Amino acid sequence: MTSLERAARPIAWAEPPAAVRFVEDAWTVAVAELQKLAHDPTELLTRAVQPVLWLLVFGQVLAQARAIPTGHIGYMDFLAPGVLAQSALFSAIFFGIAVIWERDLGVLHKYLVSPASRLSLVSGKALAGGLRALVQAAVVYVVAAIIGIHLQLGVVQLVAVALAVVLGAAAFATFSLIIACLVRTRERFMGIGQVLTMPLFFASSAIYPIALMPGWLQALAKVNPLTYQVDAIRSLMVSGGTASFPLPLDFGVLVFALVVLLVIAARLYPRLAM
Amino acid sequence: MSNVIETAELRREFGPVVAVDGLSLHIEPGEVFGLLGPNGAGKTTTIKMLITLLPPTSGRALVAGYDIAREPRLVRRSIGYVPQLLSSDGALSAVENLDVSARLYHIPASERRRRIDEALEFMGLGDVRDNLVRTYSGGMIRRLEIAQAMLHRPQVLFLDEPTVGLDPTARRAVWEHVRRLRDDEGTTILLTTHYMEEAAELCERVAIMHLGKLVALGTPASLADAVGPDASLDDVFTHYTGGNLDEGGTYRDVARTRRTAHRLG
């Protein structure tokens, strides 16, 4: 193969260093996603209906029944952080549909033939998935304030909740992207998406304390990132909310899950275009 | 003069199916080269290997002087690609689409705006630059996609079935732009097509693939002469591929082509 000659022509402009490129590329991908949302926010708004129902219907009924012991805080105060995390999860878990859609269209190929690294592409997608969830968080805060949930509105708490929401939603969006890479068609994805959401949701402390669960479910809950996301949000969002785990552990688990999922996604993402 | 694309015994298998079977090709700088063949001949698989979306099973290829297996990032930086499917995002405007590309190729901020304006002007899309691409006609989308693939001035442009699903007027407009890219920029262009008219119109040389193998290679005129007096490129195609009725093309290929045609139409 020595006959293959080099005809490489140097590129006309200098590229920034790899680390800078990574951040810029991920941000470019995330911004494109957010621009799409800005052009057509319908999906985002319809997804905001569900958490409102959980708070207004499910929450009110269970609070009346006093069926779930939540210690020194009322059930509505206990539930609101869970509903926030849940709404972020439900919208993030179907993120993969958009990826399959992009693959069917061909937009995916465009990204994959660009010089951007695979990791930066999936990180950008994950960031967009995380930032979208902030819209839902805002809706939940407004509804929660209206129905008299005791919110903590300090800047530090708000920023920390936002961070927990973004990290968790980014992790679940990446998880969804991985599923999309594995199943490859929308039909199969819809089925699997439904199957995964409920166990993730029920095997977490979103709507009842872990202590109420049978042992096997407690074990599942303890390896479920959603539990740590809810735990962090609960202690930061409502007055008197207490964390079951130390906050650094909650955030550590979320960051760890996100990084592991991103690395796996970066490996699988190019397979979608093959 | 060194070659812009060189492949040596390039091969790709999908399970028991050999999609590309020992392809060796040389494409010179500034050439418009056509890869022809019926559905399932291995054209798209070949392109996907050259643009680093699909690793070859064996064999080697250099694109713009870089090895597709060992230097994929450098290959990607040197090429532009317009897939058979749609590559511009319908939920974004033309400017937003171009901006994503400009940023991913790290075109300096000082040049980004100017190049985007130029590209829109060149493709005749200046008036609709802020409209969502989903409101465009098929021909406009194709022109935008070519503009997007050319923004970083790649050495090689890959066009996979660039005019599938376009009406004759839109098709001629795309041809015109392809020719201008070659003449003004000296871009080397590799395109696949199964429209013989398109190959005869645009390509300096064509290769005909059949069942993963290269079965003919030459200028459109020399291939026609070899087949017989007064032979057209259609006759050449039929001669080498044994007629393309009921050959190749899986259900998925057909579905994709129809879907693309439907979206563009």
Side-chain angles (χ1 to χ4, degrees), chain A residues 203-236:
Chain A
S204 81
S205 57
I207 50 175
Y208 32 65
I210 294 185
L212 292 188
M213 300 177 186
W216 63 271
L217 196 56
Q218 288 198 15
L220 273 180
K222 281 180 182 155
V223 294
N224 182 354
L226 187 66
T227 298
Y228 298 89
Q229 191 194 16
V230 172
D231 195 55
I233 296 175
R234 187 164 284 143
S235 73
L236 293 161

Side-chain angles (χ1 to χ4, degrees), chain A residues 1 4-8 13 15 21 24-25 36 39 103 105-107 110 112-115 118 273, chain B residues 2 6 8 48 53 60 62 64 71 73 76-77 81 85-86 89 91 96 103 105-106 155 252 263:
Chain A
M1 284 302 307
L4 294 188
E5 280 182 67
R6 295 190 81 90
W13 58 88
E15 284 189 311
R21 283 205 313 267
E24 288 185 356
D25 292 345
K36 282 190 256 181
H39 287 307
R103 176 248 186 155
L105 280 175
V107 179
K110 186 99 226 165
L112 286 174
V113 295
S114 82
R118 275 65 180 126
Chain B
S2 49
E6 284 199 51
K48 277 189 170 179
L53 287 189
R60 271 190 75 192
L62 296 190
E71 303 164 298
R73 204 186 88 78
R76 286 182 213 131
R77 224 170 57 155
Y81 169 54
L85 303 162
L86 296 179
D89 200 318
E96 287 164 345
R103 285 171 191 274
Y105 288 90
H106 296 277
Q155 240 181 305
R252 201 175 121 165
R263 289 219 183 88

Side-chain angles (χ1 to χ4, degrees), chain B residues 105-121:
Chain B
Y105 288 90
H106 296 277
I107 296 171
S110 54
E111 267 209 49
R112 230 181 273 147
R113 182 78 11 224
R114 188 176 61 76
R115 284 209 191 181
I116 290 173
D117 291 345
E118 269 176 22
L120 288 167
E121 209 49 50

Side-chain angles (χ1 to χ4, degrees), chain B:
Chain B
M1 183 69 97
S2 49
N3 297 304
V4 173
I5 297 177
E6 284 199 51
T7 73
E9 292 299 319
L10 200 59
R11 182 180 171 91
R12 173 70 204 200
E13 298 164 7
F14 293 101
V17 180
V18 183
V20 174
D21 190 357
L23 184 72
S24 297
L25 269 183
H26 300 256
I27 298 176
E28 287 165 19
E31 194 172 16
V32 179
F33 188 93
L35 209 48
L36 275 57
N39 286 331
K43 299 172 305 223
T44 296
T45 305
T46 302
I47 287 208
K48 277 189 170 179
M49 286 192 282
L50 294 178
I51 63 178
T52 76
L53 287 189
L54 189 67
T57 307
S58 64
R60 271 190 75 192
L62 296 190
V63 174
Y66 298 114
D67 189 299
I68 56 164
R70 284 181 304 175
E71 303 164 298
R73 204 186 88 78
L74 296 171
V75 170
R76 286 182 213 131
R77 224 170 57 155
S78 318
I79 62 171
Y81 169 54
V82 179
Q84 186 177 344
L85 303 162
L86 296 179
S87 59
S88 288
D89 200 318
L92 294 173
S93 71
V95 172
E96 287 164 345
N97 267 292
L98 290 166
D99 197 56
V100 169
S101 286
R103 285 171 191 274
L104 289 181
Y105 288 90
H106 296 277
I107 296 171
S110 54
E111 267 209 49
R112 230 181 273 147
R113 182 78 11 224
R114 188 176 61 76
R115 284 209 191 181
I116 290 173
D117 291 345
E118 269 176 22
L120 288 167
E121 209 49 50
F122 180 73
M123 289 294 172
L125 297 169
D127 295 339
V128 290
R129 51 186 291 152
D130 292 318
N131 297 4
L132 292 190
V133 171
R134 74 160 75 95
T135 64
Y136 282 22
S137 71
M140 287 157 77
I141 295 174
R142 266 300 181 241
R143 298 207 303 276
L144 172 62
E145 289 174 318
I146 296 173
Q148 208 175 340
M150 286 300 298
L151 212 52
H152 58 290
R153 310 265 194 276
Q155 240 181 305
V156 196
L157 180 62
F158 292 88
L159 302 172
D160 196 0
E161 303 280 356
T163 62
V164 73
L166 296 186
D167 65 48
T169 318
R171 177 170 298 165
R172 293 208 166 270
V174 168
W175 290 351
E176 197 43 51
H177 282 103
V178 168
R179 271 192 290 257
R180 277 172 60 194
L181 282 179
R182 181 200 52 195
D183 296 343
D184 300 354
E185 307 270 342
T187 313
T188 307
I189 296 167
L190 174 62
L191 63 89
T192 69
T193 182
H194 45 231
Y195 299 119
M196 293 308 112
E197 190 197 356
E198 182 161 290
E201 187 78 29
L202 284 180
C203 301
E204 274 118 42
R205 282 197 306 153
V206 297
I208 298 179
M209 286 185 79
H210 184 48
L211 303 174
K213 284 196 163 74
L214 189 70
V215 291
L217 175 68
T219 63
S222 72
L223 288 182
D225 286 345
V227 169
D230 302 326
S232 69
L233 208 50
D234 270 322
D235 300 328
V236 174
F237 188 84
T238 312
H239 176 82
Y240 285 107
T241 62
N244 57 353
L245 285 179
D246 293 327
E247 274 194 49
T250 61
Y251 180 78
R252 201 175 121 165
D253 290 333
V254 176
R256 284 195 154 198
T257 310
R258 295 238 171 119
R259 238 189 359 240
T260 310
H262 177 72
R263 289 219 183 88
L264 289 170

